[in-house]
Amino acid sequence: MASYAVAAAATTLVSVSVNVATGGSRPWLPAIEARPLWWVGVGTAVVAIAGPAGWWAQARAADAGDGWWGPADRRPVLVARARHGPDAAPPPTTSSRSR
């Protein structure tokens, strides 16, 4: 999910910012060199938001019931194969939520 990629990038930003704040230099990132502690705060806030955002997105996808997100025992293809063999066609998907 995209939120986890954002969290990973923000974590990298925080580590570079902490390195600069503690005496390192990054001439290829002049904005971080100018205000490293500000970037530490921004990166930390992004990581703090991205985690729950990813969790929320996964929960929404599982609740949507589209068949590919959610518990494996509820996925149509896997349920059909478990009940009727490997050549079974998946049952039609239905959603408990209106879209």
Side-chain angles (χ1 to χ4, degrees), residues 24-91:
S25 69
R26 292 291 176 260
W28 38 271
L29 292 172
I32 291 180
E33 282 205 342
R35 300 184 64 173
L37 294 179
W38 185 85
W39 286 100
V40 169
V42 168
T44 302
V46 169
V47 170
I49 292 168
W55 179 64
W56 175 82
Q58 281 183 328
R60 289 284 294 166
D63 289 345
D66 65 356
W68 292 108
W69 300 99
D73 62 341
R74 293 189 204 159
R75 294 181 189 163
V77 173
L78 298 178
V79 171
R81 287 181 181 162
R83 291 184 183 157
H84 306 293
D87 296 328

Side-chain angles (χ1 to χ4, degrees), residues 1-8 49-51 53-55 57:
M1 302 201 116
S3 65
Y4 298 120
V6 169
I49 292 168
W55 179 64

